[in-house]
Amino acid sequence: MIELEGVHVRHRARSGGLFHRDSVHALTDATLRVGQGEIVGLVGESGCGKSTLARVLTGLQKPTEGRMLFRGEDLWEMPAARRRQEFGSSVGVVFQDPATALNPRMPVGRILRDPLDVHRRGTVREREERVEELLDLVGLPGHTVRSLPGRLSGGQRQRVAIARALALEPELIVADEPTSALDVSVRAQVLNLLMDLRARLGLGMVFISHDIQTVRYLSDRLAVLYLGRIVEQGAASTVASAPAHPYTEALLSATPSLLTDTERIVLTGPVPSATNPPTGCPFRTRCWKAEDDCATAFPAATEGGGGGHQWHCVHPQPAAALSATHTRSTS
């Protein structure tokens, strides 16, 4: 459904002096595919480019370089009206904090009807019926339609945000850390709701989080980002059980799991800057395996183990190195 080909996003920073402004490398050479009905998880530390990638996938951010294909066609070469009509109704988004994502002065009914009004879906009566249907779909009582967001709990507000994202019957939902602003007791309810909606509606989903164990549970495929680059991707079960990149291994060790007993990996060394990224592998300044060859160039993509498992590392984990089949060049 959506494919990114060598996407770069660079922002102008305020630092750098009066006559020179630094560039922030928010996303570098990102290549990713999202199929219909598939859940793709994006995971990484804060500042690694997850939200920028979400903005690209939802059409809110135009790439500085590279292409974003929607059903095989370059999204940004489409006429604006067609892009708004076809792409805008096919992709929904759930933002991180429901408290700021919903207009506090609008009742829930108006919030849910707004996308239907903008896209002129159905008659007034049909729109009202769709609002009632959306509330039922996300498990909220009918009287919620008259409530302001401030009168709802965090979990209820996020359900409203999910209902709004579903208003136009999209094929894909991009959820940018949808549970991080919620209490622990509510997170499981929202995650289970998303999984239930996927099963009932056949939704595709891009689920973004810094919690790799949560993403592992939800996703069919997993992509790991570091300093704006996708350093590893593949089937979620493969990446989580047999990580090839040292950064993926460190992420897994940092999140407790009842299923596995892993030794915590503590990263040391300087955290690189997005305005002046290091040469070669961006993780080399914190990697315990780094050698001189890691500074030469960003490693080419190596594939192995089946399921589209792919990583960018000169010194991968031993199991991955043994299963590697071939390497393709990359920028």
Side-chain angles (χ1 to χ4, degrees):
M1 183 180 175
I2 290 179
E3 183 174 1
L4 304 184
E5 292 184 346
V7 167
H8 296 251
V9 174
R10 289 186 289 272
H11 303 296
R12 290 292 181 185
R14 295 191 178 185
S15 61
L18 183 62
F19 300 104
H20 174 74
R21 300 184 74 179
D22 293 329
S23 292
V24 178
H25 298 263
L27 211 58
T28 303
D29 195 26
T31 297
L32 185 72
R33 292 182 179 182
V34 183
Q36 287 187 312
E38 180 181 42
I39 297 184
V40 176
L42 301 178
V43 68
E45 298 173 276
S46 296
C48 70
K50 302 188 300 296
S51 293
T52 299
L53 188 50
R55 291 176 62 83
V56 171
L57 290 170
T58 53
L60 297 173
Q61 173 74 58
K62 184 178 180 180
T64 307
E65 294 178 36
R67 300 198 304 162
M68 176 178 167
L69 304 179
F70 173 60
R71 294 178 180 148
E73 188 175 353
D74 193 319
L75 179 70
W76 293 100
E77 291 183 359
M78 286 183 178
R82 186 168 156 235
R83 182 170 67 241
R84 183 168 54 250
Q85 181 64 31
E86 295 182 18
F87 180 79
S89 61
S90 297
V91 179
V93 58
V94 180
F95 295 101
Q96 181 173 355
D97 186 359
T100 56
L102 304 177
N103 189 328
R105 297 183 179 181
M106 279 190 183
V108 168
R110 175 72 185 279
I111 289 171
L112 297 184
R113 200 179 68 241
D114 199 43
L116 303 171
D117 292 340
V118 170
H119 285 263
R120 300 175 183 176
R121 290 287 182 90
T123 64
V124 173
R125 178 58 189 160
E126 288 171 337
R127 293 173 193 175
E128 296 294 339
E129 291 175 351
R130 178 60 177 162
V131 168
E132 294 174 8
E133 181 184 335
L134 288 167
L135 288 174
D136 183 64
L137 194 62
V138 297
L140 289 173
H143 63 77
T144 311
V145 73
R146 296 182 294 275
S147 301
L148 291 173
R151 296 196 165 193
L152 304 177
S153 68
Q156 289 174 323
R157 284 196 293 262
Q158 196 62 293
R159 286 173 184 264
V160 172
I162 293 169
R164 180 180 61 180
L166 296 173
L168 299 175
E169 301 178 272
E171 297 173 56
L172 178 73
I173 292 290
V174 178
D176 186 4
E177 303 211 39
T179 61
S180 64
L182 304 177
D183 292 338
V184 174
S185 59
V186 181
R187 291 180 188 177
Q189 297 175 21
V190 174
L191 293 175
N192 288 334
L193 171 63
L194 290 172
M195 294 300 289
D196 180 54
L197 291 171
R198 187 261 183 113
R200 291 164 63 185
L201 305 177
L203 276 174
M205 195 180 305
V206 175
F207 188 88
I208 299 169
S209 178
H210 60 275
D211 184 350
I212 195 169
Q213 297 293 355
T214 299
V215 175
R216 173 187 189 178
Y217 162 71
L218 286 173
S219 306
D220 301 311
R221 288 195 302 115
L222 187 61
V224 180
L225 281 86
Y226 184 80
L227 202 66
R229 286 189 180 269
I230 297 176
V231 296
E232 184 167 7
Q233 61 178 304
S237 57
T238 303
V239 173
S241 62
H245 200 282
Y247 179 62
T248 308
E249 185 186 14
L251 282 180
L252 286 165
S253 79
T255 309
S257 172
L258 297 176
L259 302 177
T260 57
D261 183 19
T262 57
E263 183 178 349
R264 177 71 184 271
I265 297 173
V266 179
L267 298 179
T268 58
V271 179
S273 168
T275 60
N276 187 25
T279 59
C281 176
F283 186 58
R284 67 179 176 82
T285 60
R286 303 168 74 192
C287 183
W288 62 96
K289 289 188 170 186
E291 296 182 1
D292 291 344
D293 51 355
C294 297
T296 306
F298 183 68
T302 303
E303 298 182 8
H309 191 193
Q310 186 181 98
W311 59 89
H312 296 266
C313 185
V314 178
H315 306 289
Q317 297 302 98
L322 290 173
S323 65
T325 55
H326 68 276
T327 303
R328 65 172 177 84
S329 63
T330 188
S331 60

PDB file of all heavy atoms in Angstrom, residues 309-321:
ATOM      1  N   HIS A 309      14.418 -10.582   6.803  1.00  0.00           N
ATOM      2  CA  HIS A 309      15.292 -10.043   7.849  1.00  0.00           C
ATOM      3  C   HIS A 309      16.505  -9.375   7.209  1.00  0.00           C
ATOM      4  O   HIS A 309      17.232  -9.976   6.428  1.00  0.00           O
ATOM      5  CB  HIS A 309      15.738 -11.176   8.777  1.00  0.00           C
ATOM      6  CG  HIS A 309      16.408 -10.689  10.016  1.00  0.00           C
ATOM      7  ND1 HIS A 309      17.110 -11.522  10.867  1.00  0.00           N
ATOM      8  CD2 HIS A 309      16.499  -9.447  10.568  1.00  0.00           C
ATOM      9  CE1 HIS A 309      17.580 -10.822  11.885  1.00  0.00           C
ATOM     10  NE2 HIS A 309      17.230  -9.562  11.717  1.00  0.00           N
ATOM     11  N   GLN A 310      16.722  -8.113   7.568  1.00  0.00           N
ATOM     12  CA  GLN A 310      17.750  -7.293   6.931  1.00  0.00           C
ATOM     13  C   GLN A 310      18.372  -6.373   7.975  1.00  0.00           C
ATOM     14  O   GLN A 310      17.672  -5.828   8.819  1.00  0.00           O
ATOM     15  CB  GLN A 310      17.073  -6.479   5.832  1.00  0.00           C
ATOM     16  CG  GLN A 310      17.978  -5.673   4.946  1.00  0.00           C
ATOM     17  CD  GLN A 310      17.155  -4.911   3.915  1.00  0.00           C
ATOM     18  OE1 GLN A 310      16.873  -3.723   4.098  1.00  0.00           O
ATOM     19  NE2 GLN A 310      16.741  -5.605   2.871  1.00  0.00           N
ATOM     20  N   TRP A 311      19.686  -6.213   7.911  1.00  0.00           N
ATOM     21  CA  TRP A 311      20.358  -5.357   8.888  1.00  0.00           C
ATOM     22  C   TRP A 311      21.535  -4.636   8.257  1.00  0.00           C
ATOM     23  O   TRP A 311      22.047  -5.041   7.213  1.00  0.00           O
ATOM     24  CB  TRP A 311      20.827  -6.177  10.094  1.00  0.00           C
ATOM     25  CG  TRP A 311      21.788  -7.287   9.755  1.00  0.00           C
ATOM     26  CD1 TRP A 311      23.151  -7.197   9.685  1.00  0.00           C
ATOM     27  CD2 TRP A 311      21.466  -8.638   9.415  1.00  0.00           C
ATOM     28  NE1 TRP A 311      23.692  -8.419   9.338  1.00  0.00           N
ATOM     29  CE2 TRP A 311      22.678  -9.316   9.173  1.00  0.00           C
ATOM     30  CE3 TRP A 311      20.264  -9.359   9.312  1.00  0.00           C
ATOM     31  CZ2 TRP A 311      22.732 -10.666   8.813  1.00  0.00           C
ATOM     32  CZ3 TRP A 311      20.308 -10.693   8.957  1.00  0.00           C
ATOM     33  CH2 TRP A 311      21.535 -11.336   8.715  1.00  0.00           C
ATOM     34  N   HIS A 312      21.960  -3.557   8.919  1.00  0.00           N
ATOM     35  CA  HIS A 312      23.103  -2.760   8.467  1.00  0.00           C
ATOM     36  C   HIS A 312      24.155  -2.795   9.557  1.00  0.00           C
ATOM     37  O   HIS A 312      24.149  -1.976  10.482  1.00  0.00           O
ATOM     38  CB  HIS A 312      22.666  -1.311   8.198  1.00  0.00           C
ATOM     39  CG  HIS A 312      21.667  -1.161   7.095  1.00  0.00           C
ATOM     40  ND1 HIS A 312      22.034  -0.886   5.791  1.00  0.00           N
ATOM     41  CD2 HIS A 312      20.316  -1.264   7.103  1.00  0.00           C
ATOM     42  CE1 HIS A 312      20.941  -0.813   5.047  1.00  0.00           C
ATOM     43  NE2 HIS A 312      19.887  -1.038   5.817  1.00  0.00           N
ATOM     44  N   CYS A 313      25.064  -3.735   9.494  1.00  0.00           N
ATOM     45  CA  CYS A 313      26.104  -3.869  10.512  1.00  0.00           C
ATOM     46  C   CYS A 313      27.278  -4.662   9.956  1.00  0.00           C
ATOM     47  O   CYS A 313      27.091  -5.699   9.308  1.00  0.00           O
ATOM     48  CB  CYS A 313      25.536  -4.568  11.762  1.00  0.00           C
ATOM     49  SG  CYS A 313      26.703  -4.662  13.134  1.00  0.00           S
ATOM     50  N   VAL A 314      28.480  -4.143  10.227  1.00  0.00           N
ATOM     51  CA  VAL A 314      29.702  -4.832   9.794  1.00  0.00           C
ATOM     52  C   VAL A 314      29.973  -6.039  10.679  1.00  0.00           C
ATOM     53  O   VAL A 314      30.502  -7.060  10.229  1.00  0.00           O
ATOM     54  CB  VAL A 314      30.899  -3.867   9.823  1.00  0.00           C
ATOM     55  CG1 VAL A 314      32.194  -4.571   9.427  1.00  0.00           C
ATOM     56  CG2 VAL A 314      30.652  -2.677   8.903  1.00  0.00           C
ATOM     57  N   HIS A 315      29.613  -5.944  11.955  1.00  0.00           N
ATOM     58  CA  HIS A 315      29.877  -7.019  12.921  1.00  0.00           C
ATOM     59  C   HIS A 315      28.561  -7.444  13.601  1.00  0.00           C
ATOM     60  O   HIS A 315      28.335  -7.131  14.769  1.00  0.00           O
ATOM     61  CB  HIS A 315      30.887  -6.553  13.972  1.00  0.00           C
ATOM     62  CG  HIS A 315      32.157  -6.025  13.393  1.00  0.00           C
ATOM     63  ND1 HIS A 315      33.098  -6.831  12.788  1.00  0.00           N
ATOM     64  CD2 HIS A 315      32.647  -4.744  13.302  1.00  0.00           C
ATOM     65  CE1 HIS A 315      34.103  -6.087  12.361  1.00  0.00           C
ATOM     66  NE2 HIS A 315      33.854  -4.823  12.664  1.00  0.00           N
ATOM     67  N   PRO A 316      27.701  -8.139  12.869  1.00  0.00           N
ATOM     68  CA  PRO A 316      26.410  -8.535  13.449  1.00  0.00           C
ATOM     69  C   PRO A 316      26.567  -9.632  14.480  1.00  0.00           C
ATOM     70  O   PRO A 316      27.662 -10.183  14.675  1.00  0.00           O
ATOM     71  CB  PRO A 316      25.624  -9.034  12.232  1.00  0.00           C
ATOM     72  CG  PRO A 316      26.683  -9.569  11.313  1.00  0.00           C
ATOM     73  CD  PRO A 316      27.861  -8.646  11.501  1.00  0.00           C
ATOM     74  N   GLN A 317      25.462  -9.931  15.147  1.00  0.00           N
ATOM     75  CA  GLN A 317      25.468 -11.026  16.099  1.00  0.00           C
ATOM     76  C   GLN A 317      25.850 -12.330  15.389  1.00  0.00           C
ATOM     77  O   GLN A 317      25.511 -12.523  14.219  1.00  0.00           O
ATOM     78  CB  GLN A 317      24.093 -11.165  16.748  1.00  0.00           C
ATOM     79  CG  GLN A 317      23.687  -9.943  17.576  1.00  0.00           C
ATOM     80  CD  GLN A 317      24.698  -9.667  18.672  1.00  0.00           C
ATOM     81  OE1 GLN A 317      25.572  -8.821  18.541  1.00  0.00           O
ATOM     82  NE2 GLN A 317      24.607 -10.419  19.752  1.00  0.00           N
ATOM     83  N   PRO A 318      26.530 -13.256  16.073  1.00  0.00           N
ATOM     84  CA  PRO A 318      27.029 -14.474  15.416  1.00  0.00           C
ATOM     85  C   PRO A 318      25.965 -15.270  14.688  1.00  0.00           C
ATOM     86  O   PRO A 318      26.177 -15.726  13.572  1.00  0.00           O
ATOM     87  CB  PRO A 318      27.611 -15.269  16.595  1.00  0.00           C
ATOM     88  CG  PRO A 318      27.980 -14.236  17.595  1.00  0.00           C
ATOM     89  CD  PRO A 318      26.950 -13.155  17.468  1.00  0.00           C
ATOM     90  N   ALA A 319      24.777 -15.425  15.283  1.00  0.00           N
ATOM     91  CA  ALA A 319      23.729 -16.224  14.639  1.00  0.00           C
ATOM     92  C   ALA A 319      23.295 -15.591  13.321  1.00  0.00           C
ATOM     93  O   ALA A 319      23.060 -16.273  12.328  1.00  0.00           O
ATOM     94  CB  ALA A 319      22.525 -16.372  15.570  1.00  0.00           C
ATOM     95  N   ALA A 320      23.209 -14.264  13.295  1.00  0.00           N
ATOM     96  CA  ALA A 320      22.812 -13.576  12.073  1.00  0.00           C
ATOM     97  C   ALA A 320      23.904 -13.679  11.012  1.00  0.00           C
ATOM     98  O   ALA A 320      23.625 -13.864   9.831  1.00  0.00           O
ATOM     99  CB  ALA A 320      22.516 -12.105  12.378  1.00  0.00           C
ATOM    100  N   ALA A 321      25.150 -13.578  11.439  1.00  0.00           N
ATOM    101  CA  ALA A 321      26.260 -13.657  10.489  1.00  0.00           C
ATOM    102  C   ALA A 321      26.278 -15.012   9.792  1.00  0.00           C
ATOM    103  O   ALA A 321      26.559 -15.119   8.596  1.00  0.00           O
ATOM    104  CB  ALA A 321      27.587 -13.402  11.198  1.00  0.00           C
TER     105      ALA A 321
END
